[in-house]
Amino acid sequence: MAEASGRMMMLLGIFLAVGGLSASAAPTLQANITSLTSNSQAVFVSAINVTSPAANDAIALVIPANTTNYTATPPQKFKWIQSDSSYLSSGTGSVTLQARNVQEWSTGNFTVAAETPAIPIANPQLPGQIHLLLTNITGQVAVQWTTLQQAAGAVVQYGKASGQYSSSANATFDSYTASQMCGGEAATTGYLFPGVFNNALMTNLSASTQYFYRVGNPASNFSAEYNFTTAPVDGQGPVQFLAIADLGYCETDSSLEWESDYPNPITYTPPGTLAALKVEFDNAWEGNWLSFCAAREVANAMIADPNKGTLLVHNGDISYAQDMMQPLLSHIPYMAVQGNHERDWPNTGDRYLQENAKDSGGECGVVFEKRIPMPIPHPGQQWYTFTYGPIFFIQFSTEIDFGEGSAQHDFIYNTLKSVNRTTFPWLVVGFHRPYLEPSVYGPNNKADIQNQQDLQNAFDDIFFQYQVDMTWFGHTHWYSRSCPVYKRQCQPPASDGSQTAPVHVNIGNAGASFSWDVVDPAVLTQDIYSAFAIQHGYLRVNASRTSLHIQAVNSLDGTLLDDYTLTKPAGWAANSTRQTATMTNFVGNFTPTWYETYGGDQYGNNILDAAEAQIFASNASILATLANMTALANPVTGPTAFESFQNANPIWQALNTAFLTVVSNTTSVSSTTLYFYQKIYGPLFEMFQQFPNGVFKGPMAGTPLTITTPAGVQLPQQQNPASLVSYNPPVTSSSSTPSTSTSNSSLATAPAGSAGGTAVANLTSSGVASTATGSGLLASTPGANNTATSG
């Protein structure tokens, strides 16, 4: 087993936009400790005698300490020294950083002005990153903890009374090396030795019982004592627990990480400048540090929730930030599936080879399997089942082949056939990518539109036939709930009041940046979507044998985004005859909108970028308003702000004002820009203004959702722009398919009503009018220089 030196150190980095060194003599750097004695220990660091202090001076944490090449091993995180208000005037300033030992992809290029001596970990066997996990065997709970070195004697001790440990289990060991990664940052500048994973299994546990435990090594140190409560006997209730997806991550000490692509230099923008305001605007509306710190708020809310229960289900896009999650996961078991950010990498077996997906940064599932070992059949086969009280869970991966005939599909189908519904009246299926939601992100094979169609083609029939009650997923970062639905049509309840089709719930609102720009308001008004909210939070679940009650909790204030209950009578039994008859006689009447078939994201993102450029090109009044927004405060002292609908909505309304300025002159703007504003963004911004709490549909919305064309501008009536696309649409289950384009051009032709074939003025990505011929589209390539906020 590989071991690390365990050495950490702090250093003073002087950051300039050009990567140079500020004029200073020999500054010194002092830390208040000489060794680390606890996990996530706060270290107070002072920079002294900086003769020419600058706003872009920083103190950074570097791991490991024995590196000599700081461009090959970038710092883990940093703080601007000017967060100490006396620094710029005195040349002496201090910050507090929290030490950690996790893999993190940091970037940056800088000059080192001073270093502290190496700060070693005093006890290499000190347990950290403690989290509980279930197996698929009743009466077992696993625990994993991390140490710097492997040593014989690592053990978990546990019992039913505090301080009285009547049982114990020895640990096995695991880790991963850079050579086990598949490429990218994970194998190079992003790799950090993760330590040794100690895995132990507590067995023969009684149902519905509180246990106390500690982990460690008798020859060194044990952890503090923790406790957890086991699930009831299989099939019995009630049980209470939480579920999330797409958590994100934020440093608990409010430090920052490099935003540029390593090893490019850091671009520093002094607070109060136009450039700084634009950086923070981009952070806020595209989701950068604001959104990640929303994850910290979600984690804190779950920890503090008095009704959090005894389990956390996490369906993809995992945070390995154990300093943020350990207070929760050391007390309740954690069950997870991989998402695109854990798995996808070219030529490693995921289903997105055509798109050259690199979402995992090179981890390709290895880190997830080592850090969060689930009860899967074999490495790489990320599918499994577990039970919790009256609920039977099937968990699978949307990142590897799930189509009919695949090993994963066979597993799901055979499991559905074999579940004892007398013992387990509730059946929940979990995965990462969305099954059904109002996203128009497309059109490629990894985008929401195609993935939804693929999942529905693979599972609509068997989920309906075997009466799956709910699916939980994420990837797009909002909350949504469907009606009980089969083939995109709501299904009536049975005569006993139970539902006959699955309810699909998107719980991807746990902290990653809002996917606000891929919502089509017209799609959202369809009856199949029963609840929808753009706010961060989590799902609280309470289940008995006769009810499955879910509450979507707003992590900002604890209010509810949704409140919904499925019920079944005592003695409920599955009715396969009824389900088969419905499938046999089913006549579909769903007709997808143009956007649901082709996707609007490829054009829409460029139009949003162009509207933003308009703000920073000429709208002084909008800039003045933005400069006073709390959400756009420059994070000199760290990312203390976080994304919420209330913080983001003024930014979206500023975009709307820019749009209105641009499109009011219909003779000098492209027909495509007019179309997308009229059909998507105008109604979307109006919807945001109509529902200031971010809850748009469902029992908590207050008023029905209606689509309103923005006032204050007269727009020409447009036809559906089927001619915009030059790619083949996905196959749909509908009997009605929109027309396709025969153009071979990547920009195709404009919607009806454009000036096609003549010189027309277009809104370009630079935000100024220019001339182009023929297409009436933006001058830039669709989708260029933009990362979709989905997933």
Side-chain angles (χ1 to χ4, degrees), residues 513-660:
S513 57
F514 292 143
S515 301
W516 68 274
D517 57 342
V518 293
V519 184
D520 181 355
V523 174
L524 184 57
T525 61
Q526 296 172 2
D527 290 342
I528 56 176
Y529 301 109
S530 299
F532 183 81
I534 298 180
Q535 284 284 24
H536 291 300
Y538 55 94
L539 197 69
R540 185 192 293 141
V541 186
N542 196 312
S544 68
R545 289 191 58 81
T546 57
S547 70
L548 179 57
H549 180 204
I550 62 171
Q551 294 178 314
V553 182
N554 183 347
S555 58
L556 184 67
D557 55 15
T559 58
L560 297 184
L561 308 175
D562 188 27
D563 195 336
Y564 180 71
T565 303
L566 292 176
T567 61
K568 293 180 177 180
W572 175 88
N575 188 334
S576 59
T577 301
R578 179 193 63 221
Q579 302 298 102
T580 301
T582 299
M583 294 168 62
T584 301
N585 299 317
F586 182 81
V587 177
N589 62 10
F590 169 74
T591 300
T593 68
W594 184 88
Y595 297 103
E596 287 177 294
T597 303
Y598 297 106
D601 187 66
Q602 59 167 343
Y603 301 109
N605 278 328
N606 275 356
I607 294 168
L608 286 172
D609 290 342
E612 180 197 4
Q614 278 288 325
I615 293 176
F616 289 95
S618 59
N619 287 273
S621 61
I622 300 175
L623 283 171
T625 301
L626 290 173
N628 293 321
M629 289 183 187
T630 302
L632 297 186
N634 190 284
V636 170
T637 58
T640 55
F642 56 90
E643 184 183 57
S644 69
F645 183 83
Q646 287 84 348
N647 279 346
N649 199 20
I651 299 167
W652 297 327
Q653 296 307 320
L655 277 174
N656 190 34
T657 302
F659 264 119
L660 289 170

Side-chain angles (χ1 to χ4, degrees), residues 427-429 468-472 502-505 548 550 564 566:
L427 178 55
V428 175
V429 181
V468 170
D469 294 291
M470 282 189 179
T471 69
W472 297 343
V503 173
H504 302 291
V505 185
L548 179 57
I550 62 171
Y564 180 71
L566 292 176

Side-chain angles (χ1 to χ4, degrees), residues 375-390:
I376 59 176
H378 301 285
Q381 295 183 340
Q382 279 293 325
W383 55 81
Y384 65 93
T385 67
F386 73 99
T387 61
Y388 211 72

Side-chain angles (χ1 to χ4, degrees), residues 7-11 15 59-65 67 70 72-79 97-108 110 129 185 188-194 249 251 253 255-259 262 371:
R7 287 152 49 91
M8 293 183 180
M9 69 177 170
M10 303 296 180
L11 58 87
F15 301 88
I59 294 177
L61 169 67
V62 172
I63 306 172
T67 185
Y70 294 116
T73 305
Q76 294 293 297
K77 55 184 180 179
F78 72 94
K79 279 187 176 180
L97 289 168
Q98 204 167 34
R100 59 186 170 102
N101 183 24
V102 297
Q103 180 175 1
E104 192 68 42
W105 306 339
S106 300
T107 58
F110 56 92
Q129 303 177 10
E185 295 107 326
T188 55
T189 58
Y191 177 79
L192 176 68
F193 175 68
Y249 172 65
E251 288 287 349
D253 60 8
S255 58
L256 301 168
E257 295 176 359
W258 272 256
E259 298 171 358
Y262 183 82
R371 286 186 173 274

